[in-house]
Amino acid sequence: MSVFVSLPGRLAAAALALCFSAVVHAQSEPQSGGVINVAIQPEPPGLMIGLVQNAPTQRISGNIYEGLLRYDAQLQPMPQLASAWEISDDGLTYTFHLREGVQWHDGEPFSADDVVFSTDVFMRETNPRSRAILDHVASIEAPDANTVVFTLKQPFPAFIQAFEVGTLPMVPRHVYADTDFYNNPANNTPIGTGPFKFARWDRGSVIELVKNEEYYEAGKPYLDRIYWHVIPDAASRAAAFENGTLQVMPAGSVENFDLARLEALDGSCMTEAGNEYFNPFAMLWLNNREGPTADKRFRQAVMYALDREFVRNVLWNGLGKVPNGPFSSTLAAHDPDLEQYDYDPDKARELLEEMGYDGAPVRLLPLPYGETWTRWAEAVRQNLEDVGIRVTTESTDVAGWNQKISDWSYDIAFTYLFQYGDPSLGIARTYVSSNIAKGSPWNNVEGYANPEVDALFARAAVENDEAARLADFAEVQRILREDVPLAWLLEMGQPTLYRCNVHDLITTGIGLNDGFKNAWIER
């Protein structure tokens, strides 16, 4: 049998290990009891993670629902609802052995039938990203109550990376089978197998989770309750952390310029660990279809015009890393030798002159996620105008941003996307022409189409030889670096602020989204 797992580079792994060790405290034994208060912003539209995939939903629901596997900071799979697994030598058969004695929150037993229903029925219907992964699967069978066998149509090495709770969550068959999934009353009172149960949701105020006393891991969870507080104003959230009302502030809870002050408070800690799986990657959509941005030389000029180091150092307080191309530096497939687009305004002006840019204005669409993003848009506008590109800024709310991106009504637009631990899961979707579909802000909305890139991504997805797979991805990066379908801005630093007496808060590569089952409060 064989296992393919994407591994970060040696240096990146060492850095992550150092960062990770900062939160895996060598403290005394965990103490049971206590309540923890966490900020959540914006308020999630729902908590049924099989239906709702917004970031706030995933951040809370990992306490209620679970996947078959978890992933450590090096993206190695770890047991969750599956205690063991095997992959056949030909890469076509994945056999999962389930934990015994697991119960849903309503007391019903969890079994292999739930896994088959969740993956072969529920997620195939409800989630486009999961459905694309499951398109590689020919059959899902349960030979007994504690075994599930996935048979693939062809080798798909990234498949073992797809079993975290946000991608393939387990949902109860006895609650959802033969129902209207989207209008099932259980969506308002979610039932999972996780360490915490849903208790109440006071809209606009607080979501309460309580300890699952029947949880299958002995002694866990340690906390009695979690309160997720909805506080729309960033300054108010910062004040709540400062005065002790909140003990945990997930990434994005406060503006970057406030992080250093809050980290310096007595008893305050901060970590960037827990983002290794998602690799949030900030970019500028560049509309490849029309206007100046349709010209490759214009897009290259944009790359040379952007002072990305300034943004990282000033607007992001030194957090994150300036990328050299479309792949995060933490992925095994990342090419560290790819030539960087350095800040070079003169080179940008040369390219614009070469293409005959006539000064036609381009529309810049900021991301309406707060002060940092507003300032970032101002910096990009200044960079572009410095090389002679005329820019008009079109500010919107979140709904307006979604609509404009979905309608392809923009020239340059901010976004950030998760890379999900493997290019076949989180990167190809942005560049392959088969994923151009008007009406969604999360696919190939820039309209880039290159048959060679399509073929390389398709071949790499089913290539079981790691060296050959990495060679295909290296060639993809070289082509994309030349074509610049998007402008790559920043591998985003995603710091979590927390009170230092909260231990084992982040213990996997998916961070807070993995839930609070290991977290405990030192008293």
Side-chain angles (χ1 to χ4, degrees):
M1 69 188 62
S2 61
V3 176
F4 176 95
V5 177
S6 294
L7 296 174
R10 185 179 303 170
L11 292 178
L16 289 172
L18 286 173
C19 192
F20 199 72
S21 66
V23 291
V24 182
H25 300 273
Q27 299 286 338
S28 56
E29 290 297 312
Q31 300 171 14
S32 293
V35 173
I36 202 162
N37 294 278
V38 191
I40 190 68
Q41 173 60 29
E43 186 169 22
L47 294 178
M48 205 295 166
I49 197 171
L51 299 172
V52 184
Q53 286 279 297
N54 298 72
T57 297
Q58 296 200 43
R59 189 154 284 161
I60 297 175
S61 295
N63 292 285
I64 302 171
Y65 295 96
E66 295 180 312
L68 295 185
L69 301 177
R70 308 161 77 206
Y71 299 90
D72 68 15
Q74 284 75 47
L75 309 188
Q76 297 276 11
M78 303 160 59
Q80 184 66 60
L81 285 169
S83 58
W85 56 95
E86 299 130 22
I87 306 173
S88 62
D89 287 340
D90 60 7
L92 293 177
T93 305
Y94 288 63
T95 303
F96 291 90
H97 305 280
L98 307 183
R99 290 181 188 268
E100 298 185 14
V102 177
Q103 292 184 353
W104 294 99
H105 292 164
D106 61 2
E108 293 294 317
F110 166 77
S111 77
D113 286 342
D114 291 305
V115 180
V116 174
F117 172 75
S118 299
T119 52
D120 212 16
V121 180
F122 194 96
M123 296 306 291
R124 281 191 193 272
E125 176 176 332
T126 61
N127 188 299
R129 184 166 60 85
S130 303
R131 184 164 55 243
I133 295 169
L134 293 166
D135 279 346
H136 293 272
V137 179
S139 67
I140 306 173
E141 297 174 321
D144 59 56
N146 293 303
T147 306
V148 179
V149 179
F150 292 79
T151 303
L152 275 57
K153 300 172 183 173
Q154 64 282 312
F156 179 45
F159 192 55
I160 193 61
Q161 302 287 84
F163 291 91
E164 59 93 22
V165 61
T167 301
L168 290 176
M170 295 299 109
V171 298
R173 181 181 185 279
H174 66 281
V175 173
Y176 283 96
D178 301 321
T179 73
D180 176 353
F181 299 159
Y182 297 94
N183 293 296
N184 191 307
N187 296 341
N188 298 318
T189 54
I191 297 171
T193 60
F196 292 91
K197 296 182 178 181
F198 174 82
R200 69 183 171 102
W201 186 344
D202 295 337
R203 298 279 175 177
S205 179
V206 68
I207 296 168
E208 179 185 357
L209 307 182
V210 298
K211 178 177 182 174
N212 176 8
E213 300 284 357
E214 308 300 326
Y215 194 58
Y216 53 86
E217 291 193 41
K220 297 181 182 178
Y222 303 110
L223 300 172
D224 291 332
R225 295 175 188 276
I226 308 172
Y227 291 104
W228 296 84
H229 296 269
V230 180
I231 305 174
D233 177 62
S236 297
R237 291 192 293 274
F241 182 77
E242 192 168 2
N243 66 26
T245 301
L246 298 176
Q247 290 86 51
V248 177
M249 303 282 273
S253 296
V254 297
E255 303 295 352
N256 288 328
F257 55 77
D258 225 3
L259 284 169
R261 181 181 68 82
L262 296 173
E263 184 188 15
L265 297 173
D266 287 342
S268 176
C269 288
M270 189 170 75
T271 178
E272 289 190 71
N275 294 290
E276 296 81 9
Y277 183 83
F278 298 117
N279 288 315
F281 203 94
M283 304 181 291
L284 292 176
W285 294 118
L286 302 174
N287 194 331
N288 287 210
R289 301 177 181 82
E290 60 188 8
T293 50
D295 192 309
K296 179 175 72 175
R297 293 166 295 184
F298 186 93
R299 301 195 298 268
Q300 292 172 337
V302 169
M303 286 300 302
Y304 283 118
L306 297 175
D307 190 350
R308 297 178 293 167
E309 288 288 353
F310 168 82
V311 168
R312 188 186 76 89
N313 294 334
V314 176
L315 299 185
W316 283 82
N317 286 23
L319 296 167
K321 181 177 182 180
V322 173
N324 68 346
F327 287 24
S328 166
S329 60
T330 63
L331 298 178
H334 171 255
D335 181 0
D337 298 323
L338 199 66
E339 185 179 358
Q340 179 70 278
Y341 276 96
D342 292 324
Y343 175 51
D344 191 342
D346 289 338
K347 182 66 175 175
R349 295 186 188 97
E350 289 175 12
L351 285 163
L352 294 172
E353 182 176 355
E354 178 185 321
M355 68 167 279
Y357 172 58
D358 61 1
V362 294
R363 298 164 295 169
L364 174 65
L365 189 65
L367 198 58
Y369 282 5
E371 184 68 19
T372 296
W373 292 89
T374 300
R375 292 187 184 189
W376 201 349
E378 292 168 353
V380 164
R381 175 172 182 157
Q382 186 62 55
N383 282 161
L384 297 181
E385 291 185 341
D386 284 347
V387 300
I389 297 173
R390 294 177 59 199
V391 179
T392 59
T393 301
E394 298 184 351
S395 299
T396 67
D397 57 12
V398 175
W401 182 92
N402 282 345
Q403 192 64 51
K404 283 183 175 292
I405 296 296
S406 299
D407 291 343
W408 306 339
S409 179
Y410 72 95
D411 295 313
I412 301 176
F414 276 83
T415 190
Y416 77 86
L417 297 174
F418 293 158
Q419 299 210 335
Y420 289 106
D422 189 283
S424 296
L425 300 180
I427 298 177
R429 61 180 175 150
T430 304
Y431 300 100
V432 296
S433 60
S434 59
N435 210 25
I436 298 174
K438 207 167 190 177
S440 169
W442 311 117
N443 49 37
N444 180 349
V445 298
E446 79 274 16
Y448 175 68
N450 184 328
E452 190 175 5
V453 168
D454 289 349
L456 285 165
F457 270 126
R459 192 166 68 197
V462 299
E463 176 58 66
N464 215 27
D465 181 278
E466 184 174 0
R469 191 167 189 252
L470 294 181
D472 285 342
F473 283 138
E475 181 63 10
V476 162
Q477 290 170 83
R478 187 194 64 75
I479 296 171
L480 293 178
R481 192 264 174 201
E482 171 67 20
D483 287 353
V484 195
L486 311 166
W488 307 290
L489 296 178
L490 188 67
E491 298 177 39
M492 296 165 59
Q494 292 279 276
T496 299
L497 272 169
Y498 63 102
R499 290 294 174 182
C500 300
N501 67 335
V502 178
H503 298 285
D504 295 338
L505 181 64
I506 294 173
T507 56
T508 72
I510 69 169
L512 295 182
N513 288 21
D514 193 47
F516 284 55
K517 74 173 180 180
N518 294 307
W520 57 280
I521 300 172
E522 184 178 4
R523 288 167 289 174

